[in-house]
């Protein structure tokens, strides 16, 4: 399952999808361009079937890369996985912290703890991790709007231009929100 979850997109995938009309084009599907996505999706279903019996796999899951399917895996494992993800964020490398912050989008996790963690990691020494935490504040529930807006205001003055720009963009998104964000944010 971990190998399936680690399936990476083909380097030319985006170009072909743009050129030939997306995933609905039968030739694009015939050449297997969506194979990695199918493998990751099957892995997510396999982990969901295992549920909390897969808790010990969370450290390895968080090393596969941030993706919507990784979030689905963590959702399928359930709320018991939150302490494991938080431990990996605390002790992991930069890439594990980055992936873990995106993994906190699993709806099974306590939203208060998730938002507090995202806010905490907006002060991380790693620019990449601060950028991820800043981006993810868009997915915070509306009831946290005041604390999120205050955090984003602070981040608009971040020493890194990309983090500051993302703080402005996220602030605009939060200001325009009329309902809770329901999708999964995935890094580019």
């Amino acid at each position: 399952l971990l190998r399936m979850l680690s399936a990476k997109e083909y380097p030319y995938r985006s170009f072909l999808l743009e050129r030939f009309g997306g995933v609905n084009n039968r030739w694009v599907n015939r050449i297997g361009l969506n194979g990695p996505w199918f493998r990751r999706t099957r892995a997510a279903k396999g982990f969901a079937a295992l549920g909390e019996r897969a808790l010990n796999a969370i450290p390895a899951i968080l090393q596969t890369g941030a993706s919507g399917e990784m979030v689905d895996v963590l959702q399928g494992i359930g709320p018991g996985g939150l302490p494991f993800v938080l431990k990996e964020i605390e002790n992991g490398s930069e890439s594990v912290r980055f992936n873990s912050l995106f993994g906190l989008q699993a709806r099974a996790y306590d939203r208060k703890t998730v938002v507090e963690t995202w806010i905490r990691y907006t002060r991380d020494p790693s620019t990449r991790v601060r950028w991820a935490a800043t981006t993810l504040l868009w997915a915070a529930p509306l009831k946290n709007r005041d604390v999120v807006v205050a955090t984003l205001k602070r981040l608009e003055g971040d020493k890194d231009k990309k983090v500051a720009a993302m703080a402005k963009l996220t602030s605009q998104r939060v200001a325009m929100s009329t309902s809770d964000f329901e999708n999964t944010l995935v890094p580019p």
Side-chain angles (χ1 to χ4, degrees):
L1 290 175
L2 287 169
R3 195 170 342 116
M4 291 169 63
L5 185 61
S6 297
K8 302 293 182 220
E9 297 298 340
Y10 301 117
Y12 50 83
R13 180 180 186 269
S14 295
F15 169 77
L16 290 175
L17 288 176
E18 289 173 15
R19 185 95 172 150
F20 297 106
V23 296
N24 293 324
N25 181 299
R26 67 184 174 128
W27 295 108
V28 167
N29 287 313
R30 198 169 255 179
I31 62 172
L33 199 57
N34 293 318
W37 177 79
F38 284 120
R39 284 190 287 285
R40 290 191 309 270
T41 301
R42 286 186 201 119
K45 290 179 181 179
F47 277 111
L50 290 171
E52 289 199 358
R53 290 179 297 224
L55 286 172
N56 64 339
I58 288 178
I61 290 165
L62 296 173
Q63 292 180 14
T64 63
S67 68
E69 295 80 31
M70 181 197 71
V71 174
D72 292 343
V73 164
L74 295 171
Q75 172 65 28
I77 291 173
L82 181 59
F84 292 85
V85 175
L86 294 175
K87 181 179 177 189
E88 291 302 311
I89 291 174
E90 188 71 33
N91 301 322
S93 65
E94 176 188 287
S95 64
V96 169
R97 289 193 317 271
F98 180 86
N99 296 342
S100 299
L101 288 172
F102 277 94
L104 287 176
Q105 294 177 87
R107 287 188 178 94
Y109 298 159
D110 175 61
R111 304 324 299 158
K112 182 178 186 277
T113 303
V114 167
V115 172
E116 289 170 355
T117 304
W118 287 337
I119 289 172
R120 176 178 173 206
Y121 281 89
T122 62
R123 296 183 184 275
D124 195 85
S126 163
T127 301
R128 186 172 181 233
V129 171
R130 282 195 322 276
W131 177 88
T134 303
T135 302
L136 289 160
L137 286 173
W138 182 27
L142 286 178
K143 67 181 180 182
N144 300 105
R145 183 181 288 200
D146 293 341
V147 69
V148 166
V149 168
T151 301
L152 292 170
K153 271 293 184 222
R154 174 183 54 81
L155 290 165
E156 287 178 14
D158 193 271
K159 62 186 175 191
D160 184 81
K161 291 179 182 179
K162 288 182 182 179
V163 173
M166 184 52 73
K168 287 179 184 174
L169 178 62
T170 304
S171 187
Q172 292 169 355
R173 289 173 171 169
V174 169
M176 290 188 292
S177 296
T178 57
S179 62
D180 285 334
F181 186 76
E182 292 294 328
N183 294 315
T184 300
L185 297 170
V186 181

